[in-house]
Amino acid sequence: MTTPYDKQKKLHFDLTNVGLRAQATAVGLVQLCHELKRANVLDEAAIDRIKDAIADEVSVTAPRSLAAKGYRGEIRTRLDRLFDGEQQVGSADAMALGHQPE
């Protein structure tokens, strides 16, 4: 399930105004999800909905040169690896250019 585009844009605007773009926020969110899953508060379906919401938000800002659907798929794959602990939170600039983090 994805969020309607107009709601995604409003949320994007609201998050930008608050300044929630920092890597520290992302790290905190991933850790919070791990803790809530460990405490059996969140199940895998809830984690997937969280990752989908993040992918929706990031894909709203996709460069026009990238196919939105392909870009969202790449984001979702990276989120899966990030939440599984296989990938560090790195620069969003690297993702926008299609490069793997160093």
Side-chain angles (χ1 to χ4, degrees):
M1 181 174 126
T2 60
T3 306
Y5 185 77
D6 59 328
K7 287 186 179 180
Q8 291 175 29
K9 287 296 277 187
K10 182 184 181 325
L11 180 59
H12 170 76
F13 181 75
D14 291 343
L15 291 173
T16 300
N17 281 340
V18 175
L20 292 178
R21 287 279 186 206
Q23 288 182 344
T25 303
V27 170
L29 175 65
V30 171
Q31 184 62 40
L32 177 63
C33 288
H34 284 292
E35 297 296 333
L36 292 173
K37 186 176 177 187
R38 189 175 302 125
N40 293 319
V41 174
L42 292 178
D43 60 9
E44 197 60 41
I47 299 293
D48 284 341
R49 289 190 298 274
I50 291 167
K51 290 187 278 187
D52 284 338
I54 295 168
D56 288 346
E57 165 59 19
V58 174
S59 66
V60 166
T61 63
R64 290 188 177 263
S65 63
L66 298 174
K69 194 168 205 162
Y71 187 68
R72 189 188 182 289
E74 180 181 344
I75 293 164
R76 189 59 164 81
T77 298
R78 289 176 183 227
L79 285 167
D80 288 340
R81 292 194 329 243
L82 180 67
F83 275 73
D84 288 342
E86 298 173 16
Q87 183 172 345
Q88 295 293 318
V89 176
S91 171
D93 293 334
M95 185 187 313
L97 297 173
H99 301 288
Q100 290 286 3
E102 297 178 20

